[in-house]
Amino acid sequence: MVPSTAYRVPDLVARYADMFSAMGTAPRLRIMQLLLSAHPTGLVVGDIQNELDIPNSTLSHHLDKLKNEGLVQIRREGTFLRYTASVDALQELLGFLYAECCTRNKAIKPSGILQIRK
Amino acid sequence: MVPSTAYRVPDLVARYADMFSAMGTAPRLRIMQLLLSAHPTGLVVGDIQNELDIPNSTLSHHLDKLKNEGLVQIRREGTFLRYTASVDALQELLGFLYAECCTRNKAIKPSGILQIRK
DNA sequence: ACCATGTTTCGACATTACCGGAAATACGGA
DNA sequence: TCCGTATTTCCGGTAATGTCGAAACATGGT
Protein backbone atom coordinates (compact mmCIF):
# COMPACT_ATOMS: atom_id res chain seq x y z
CA MET A 1 0.00 0.00 0.00
CA VAL A 2 1.40 3.30 -1.09
CA PRO A 3 1.57 5.86 1.70
CA SER A 4 -0.07 9.20 1.05
CA THR A 5 2.17 11.98 -0.11
CA ALA A 6 1.89 13.56 3.30
CA TYR A 7 4.19 10.90 4.62
CA ARG A 8 6.90 11.31 2.07
CA VAL A 9 6.92 15.06 1.64
CA PRO A 10 9.34 16.53 4.13
CA ASP A 11 7.58 19.05 6.31
CA LEU A 12 8.86 22.30 4.92
CA VAL A 13 7.11 24.36 7.54
CA ALA A 14 8.87 22.44 10.29
CA ARG A 15 12.15 22.94 8.48
CA TYR A 16 11.67 26.68 8.16
CA ALA A 17 10.58 26.81 11.78
CA ASP A 18 13.86 25.18 12.75
CA MET A 19 15.76 27.74 10.71
CA PHE A 20 13.90 30.59 12.36
CA SER A 21 14.61 28.99 15.70
CA ALA A 22 18.30 28.81 14.88
CA MET A 23 18.28 32.56 14.27
CA GLY A 24 16.03 33.07 17.26
CA THR A 25 18.66 34.07 19.80
CA ALA A 26 20.70 37.25 19.84
CA PRO A 27 24.10 35.54 19.88
CA ARG A 28 23.31 33.39 16.86
CA LEU A 29 21.65 36.18 14.92
CA ARG A 30 24.74 38.28 15.56
CA ILE A 31 26.91 35.46 14.28
CA MET A 32 24.89 35.36 11.08
CA GLN A 33 25.15 39.12 10.71
CA LEU A 34 28.87 38.92 11.19
CA LEU A 35 29.29 36.13 8.67
CA LEU A 36 27.19 38.03 6.16
CA SER A 37 29.29 41.12 6.67
CA ALA A 38 32.35 39.02 5.89
CA HIS A 39 30.74 37.33 2.93
CA PRO A 40 31.86 35.53 0.83
CA THR A 41 35.16 35.13 2.63
CA GLY A 42 33.70 34.13 5.94
CA LEU A 43 35.50 33.99 9.26
CA VAL A 44 37.39 31.46 11.32
CA VAL A 45 36.08 30.58 14.76
CA GLY A 46 38.71 32.59 16.57
CA ASP A 47 37.75 35.72 14.66
CA ILE A 48 34.10 35.28 15.56
CA GLN A 49 35.05 34.72 19.15
CA ASN A 50 37.12 37.88 19.32
CA GLU A 51 34.46 39.90 17.57
CA LEU A 52 31.53 38.78 19.70
CA ASP A 53 33.27 37.91 22.94
CA ILE A 54 31.62 34.53 23.43
CA PRO A 55 33.44 31.73 25.31
CA ASN A 56 34.75 29.09 22.97
CA SER A 57 32.54 26.24 24.12
CA THR A 58 29.41 28.36 24.00
CA LEU A 59 30.32 29.65 20.58
CA SER A 60 30.94 26.13 19.37
CA HIS A 61 27.45 25.07 20.37
CA HIS A 62 25.90 27.99 18.57
CA LEU A 63 27.90 27.28 15.45
CA ASP A 64 26.86 23.66 15.67
CA LYS A 65 23.23 24.63 15.75
CA LEU A 66 23.61 26.92 12.78
CA LYS A 67 25.43 24.15 10.96
CA ASN A 68 22.73 21.60 11.73
CA GLU A 69 20.08 23.86 10.24
CA GLY A 70 22.21 24.43 7.18
CA LEU A 71 22.60 28.15 7.76
CA VAL A 72 26.40 28.09 7.63
CA GLN A 73 29.00 26.24 5.66
CA ILE A 74 32.37 25.12 6.95
CA ARG A 75 35.71 24.34 5.45
CA ARG A 76 38.97 23.53 7.11
CA GLU A 77 42.08 25.64 6.56
CA GLY A 78 44.91 23.97 8.34
CA THR A 79 44.12 24.12 12.01
CA PHE A 80 41.43 26.72 11.40
CA LEU A 81 37.79 26.25 10.54
CA ARG A 82 36.31 28.85 8.29
CA TYR A 83 32.58 29.51 8.56
CA THR A 84 30.54 31.20 5.86
CA ALA A 85 26.86 32.11 5.70
CA SER A 86 24.93 29.70 3.51
CA VAL A 87 23.48 31.75 0.73
CA ASP A 88 21.23 28.90 -0.35
CA ALA A 89 19.62 28.49 3.04
CA LEU A 90 19.12 32.20 3.56
CA GLN A 91 17.68 32.59 0.11
CA GLU A 92 15.29 29.75 0.80
CA LEU A 93 14.19 31.28 4.07
CA LEU A 94 13.85 34.75 2.64
CA GLY A 95 11.95 33.31 -0.29
CA PHE A 96 9.57 31.51 2.03
CA LEU A 97 8.82 34.64 4.04
CA TYR A 98 8.45 36.70 0.91
CA ALA A 99 6.09 34.18 -0.62
CA GLU A 100 3.89 33.93 2.46
CA CYS A 101 3.69 37.67 3.00
CA CYS A 102 3.87 39.17 -0.45
CA THR A 103 3.16 36.62 -3.15
CA ARG A 104 0.63 34.21 -1.81
CA ASN A 105 -1.43 36.48 0.36
CA LYS A 106 -0.38 39.96 -0.73
CA ALA A 107 -0.37 41.09 2.89
CA ILE A 108 2.74 43.17 2.35
CA LYS A 109 3.65 45.25 -0.65
CA PRO A 110 7.09 44.29 -1.98
CA SER A 111 8.03 47.96 -2.06
CA GLY A 112 7.55 48.06 1.70
CA ILE A 113 10.50 45.77 2.27
CA LEU A 114 12.98 48.22 0.81
CA GLN A 115 12.77 50.68 3.65
CA ILE A 116 15.31 53.29 4.57
CA ARG A 117 17.62 51.69 7.06
CA LYS A 118 20.53 53.40 8.74
CA MET B 1 28.65 62.41 30.88
CA VAL B 2 26.73 61.35 27.87
CA PRO B 3 26.41 57.59 27.52
CA SER B 4 27.45 56.12 24.22
CA THR B 5 24.69 55.47 21.76
CA ALA B 6 25.05 51.77 22.39
CA TYR B 7 23.36 52.25 25.74
CA ARG B 8 20.33 54.13 24.50
CA VAL B 9 19.64 52.33 21.28
CA PRO B 10 17.28 49.44 21.92
CA ASP B 11 18.89 46.26 20.81
CA LEU B 12 17.23 45.68 17.49
CA VAL B 13 19.09 42.44 16.92
CA ALA B 14 17.71 41.01 20.16
CA ARG B 15 14.25 42.12 19.11
CA TYR B 16 14.48 40.48 15.72
CA ALA B 17 15.89 37.38 17.36
CA ASP B 18 12.81 37.22 19.58
CA MET B 19 10.59 37.53 16.53
CA PHE B 20 12.44 34.73 14.77
CA SER B 21 12.15 32.67 17.92
CA ALA B 22 8.40 33.27 18.00
CA MET B 23 8.16 31.84 14.51
CA GLY B 24 10.65 29.14 15.41
CA THR B 25 8.24 26.31 16.12
CA ALA B 26 6.05 24.51 13.61
CA PRO B 27 2.75 25.19 15.43
CA ARG B 28 3.37 28.92 15.61
CA LEU B 29 4.69 29.20 12.07
CA ARG B 30 1.56 27.39 10.92
CA ILE B 31 -0.56 29.85 12.87
CA MET B 32 1.16 32.74 11.11
CA GLN B 33 0.65 31.07 7.73
CA LEU B 34 -2.99 30.56 8.52
CA LEU B 35 -3.50 34.14 9.63
CA LEU B 36 -1.74 35.41 6.52
CA SER B 37 -3.94 33.24 4.34
CA ALA B 38 -6.94 34.83 6.02
CA HIS B 39 -5.53 38.32 5.78
CA PRO B 40 -6.75 40.99 6.33
CA THR B 41 -9.85 39.51 7.91
CA GLY B 42 -8.02 37.27 10.34
CA LEU B 43 -9.51 34.44 12.33
CA VAL B 44 -11.05 33.89 15.74
CA VAL B 45 -9.38 31.50 18.14
CA GLY B 46 -11.93 28.76 17.60
CA ASP B 47 -11.32 28.81 13.86
CA ILE B 48 -7.59 28.47 14.36
CA GLN B 49 -8.17 25.66 16.82
CA ASN B 50 -10.37 23.74 14.40
CA GLU B 51 -7.99 24.32 11.54
CA LEU B 52 -4.82 23.24 13.30
CA ASP B 53 -6.21 20.85 15.88
CA ILE B 54 -4.34 22.29 18.86
CA PRO B 55 -5.80 22.06 22.40
CA ASN B 56 -7.19 25.36 23.58
CA SER B 57 -4.71 26.00 26.34
CA THR B 58 -1.74 25.15 24.16
CA LEU B 59 -3.06 27.36 21.40
CA SER B 60 -3.59 30.18 23.84
CA HIS B 61 0.04 29.98 24.91
CA HIS B 62 1.25 30.16 21.33
CA LEU B 63 -1.01 33.09 20.54
CA ASP B 64 0.24 34.83 23.65
CA LYS B 65 3.82 34.45 22.51
CA LEU B 66 3.03 35.77 19.05
CA LYS B 67 1.21 38.68 20.64
CA ASN B 68 4.09 39.49 22.95
CA GLU B 69 6.48 39.71 20.01
CA GLY B 70 4.03 41.90 18.14
CA LEU B 71 3.49 39.45 15.32
CA VAL B 72 -0.28 39.39 15.67
CA GLN B 73 -2.97 41.90 16.46
CA ILE B 74 -6.13 41.21 18.40
CA ARG B 75 -9.55 42.72 18.59
CA ARG B 76 -12.59 41.56 20.46
CA GLU B 77 -15.85 40.74 18.68
CA GLY B 78 -18.40 39.95 21.30
CA THR B 79 -17.30 36.75 22.96
CA PHE B 80 -14.79 36.08 20.19
CA LEU B 81 -11.24 37.28 19.81
CA ARG B 82 -10.11 37.91 16.29
CA TYR B 83 -6.42 37.51 15.51
CA THR B 84 -4.74 39.04 12.49
CA ALA B 85 -1.15 38.91 11.30
CA SER B 86 0.68 42.13 12.02
CA VAL B 87 1.76 43.51 8.70
CA ASP B 88 4.04 46.04 10.34
CA ALA B 89 6.00 43.45 12.30
CA LEU B 90 6.35 41.10 9.36
CA GLN B 91 7.43 43.91 7.11
CA GLU B 92 10.02 44.95 9.65
CA LEU B 93 11.35 41.43 9.93
CA LEU B 94 11.37 40.84 6.20
CA GLY B 95 13.05 44.19 5.74
CA PHE B 96 15.74 43.28 8.24
CA LEU B 97 16.51 39.97 6.55
CA TYR B 98 16.47 41.59 3.15
CA ALA B 99 18.80 44.33 4.28
CA GLU B 100 21.28 41.95 5.87
CA CYS B 101 21.33 39.54 2.96
CA CYS B 102 20.78 41.72 -0.09
CA THR B 103 21.34 45.38 0.63
CA ARG B 104 24.12 45.65 3.14
CA ASN B 105 26.23 42.70 2.12
CA LYS B 106 24.89 41.76 -1.30
CA ALA B 107 25.18 38.09 -0.40
CA ILE B 108 21.93 37.29 -2.14
CA LYS B 109 20.63 38.71 -5.38
CA PRO B 110 17.14 40.16 -4.92
CA SER B 111 16.00 38.27 -7.99
CA GLY B 112 16.82 35.03 -6.18
CA ILE B 113 14.07 35.59 -3.67
CA LEU B 114 11.34 35.45 -6.26
CA GLN B 115 11.66 31.76 -6.90
CA ILE B 116 9.07 29.51 -8.40
CA ARG B 117 7.10 28.09 -5.51
CA LYS B 118 4.23 25.67 -5.77
C1' DA C 1 57.45 12.52 19.37
C1' DC C 2 56.46 16.69 21.24
C1' DC C 3 54.51 21.24 21.41
C1' DA C 4 51.49 25.24 20.53
C1' DT C 5 47.37 26.71 18.83
C1' DG C 6 42.57 26.20 17.41
C1' DT C 7 38.31 23.95 18.16
C1' DT C 8 35.22 20.64 19.99
C1' DT C 9 33.36 17.50 23.53
C1' DC C 10 32.14 16.48 28.29
C1' DG C 11 29.69 17.35 32.33
C1' DA C 12 26.92 20.12 34.97
C1' DC C 13 23.70 23.68 36.13
C1' DA C 14 19.98 27.10 35.72
C1' DT C 15 16.62 28.78 32.86
C1' DT C 16 13.24 28.66 29.81
C1' DA C 17 9.96 26.46 26.62
C1' DC C 18 6.34 23.31 25.27
C1' DC C 19 2.27 20.83 26.33
C1' DG C 20 -2.37 19.99 28.01
C1' DG C 21 -6.19 18.92 31.53
C1' DA C 22 -8.95 21.29 34.71
C1' DA C 23 -10.65 25.36 36.63
C1' DA C 24 -11.55 30.20 36.18
C1' DT C 25 -12.99 34.24 33.63
C1' DA C 26 -15.45 37.07 29.93
C1' DC C 27 -19.22 37.96 27.27
C1' DG C 28 -23.92 37.95 25.32
C1' DG C 29 -28.45 36.26 25.50
C1' DA C 30 -32.76 34.52 27.71
C1' DT D 1 -29.47 36.21 37.37
C1' DC D 2 -28.50 32.16 35.25
C1' DC D 3 -26.71 29.67 31.25
C1' DG D 4 -23.85 28.47 27.28
C1' DT D 5 -20.04 29.41 24.57
C1' DA D 6 -15.36 31.30 23.93
C1' DT D 7 -10.99 31.99 25.71
C1' DT D 8 -7.63 32.35 29.16
C1' DT D 9 -5.23 31.24 33.47
C1' DC D 10 -3.54 27.91 36.70
C1' DC D 11 -0.75 24.14 37.61
C1' DG D 12 2.06 20.45 36.83
C1' DG D 13 5.30 17.54 34.31
C1' DT D 14 8.71 17.00 30.99
C1' DA D 15 11.98 18.23 27.71
C1' DA D 16 14.90 21.45 25.41
C1' DT D 17 18.05 25.18 25.52
C1' DG D 18 21.80 28.48 26.86
C1' DT D 19 25.84 28.86 29.37
C1' DC D 20 30.62 27.80 30.45
C1' DG D 21 34.96 25.69 32.68
C1' DA D 22 37.82 21.90 32.09
C1' DA D 23 39.38 18.28 29.52
C1' DA D 24 39.97 16.11 25.13
C1' DC D 25 40.93 16.21 20.34
C1' DA D 26 42.93 17.90 15.81
C1' DT D 27 46.31 19.98 13.10
C1' DG D 28 50.75 21.67 11.51
C1' DG D 29 55.34 22.72 12.69
C1' DT D 30 59.89 21.64 14.86
Side-chain angles (χ1 to χ4, degrees), chain B residues 25 28 55 57-58 61-62 65 76 78-79:
Chain B
T25 73
R28 283 198 296 266
S57 65
T58 302
H61 287 140
H62 286 316
K65 177 123 186 174
R76 189 169 267 287
T79 105

Side-chain angles (χ1 to χ4, degrees), chain B residues 7-116:
Chain B
Y7 280 102
R8 287 171 294 158
V9 171
D11 192 341
L12 280 180
V13 175
R15 178 173 145 68
Y16 292 133
D18 286 341
M19 286 190 185
F20 281 132
S21 178
M23 297 206 293
T25 73
R28 283 198 296 266
L29 190 51
R30 268 183 247 279
I31 291 171
M32 290 305 297
Q33 274 189 311
L34 193 58
L35 290 180
L36 281 169
S37 75
H39 196 80
T41 307
L43 292 170
V44 299
V45 179
D47 292 340
I48 304 174
Q49 187 178 342
N50 291 335
E51 199 75 36
L52 299 181
D53 210 47
I54 300 174
N56 50 4
S57 65
T58 302
L59 178 56
S60 192
H61 287 140
H62 286 316
L63 291 173
D64 191 57
K65 177 123 186 174
L66 292 173
K67 180 189 72 179
N68 287 331
E69 303 309 334
L71 287 167
V72 298
Q73 289 171 338
I74 312 168
R75 64 173 177 280
R76 189 169 267 287
E77 289 182 358
T79 105
F80 300 86
L81 286 178
R82 181 167 295 270
Y83 282 74
T84 53
S86 168
V87 167
D88 288 352
L90 286 169
Q91 183 167 309
E92 215 185 331
L93 198 57
L94 199 37
F96 168 76
L97 245 194
Y98 185 86
E100 290 299 322
C101 294
C102 304
T103 305
R104 192 190 300 283
N105 313 119
K106 298 187 176 61
I108 299 180
K109 283 183 304 186
S111 63
I113 299 171
L114 219 323
Q115 47 194 288
I116 311 299

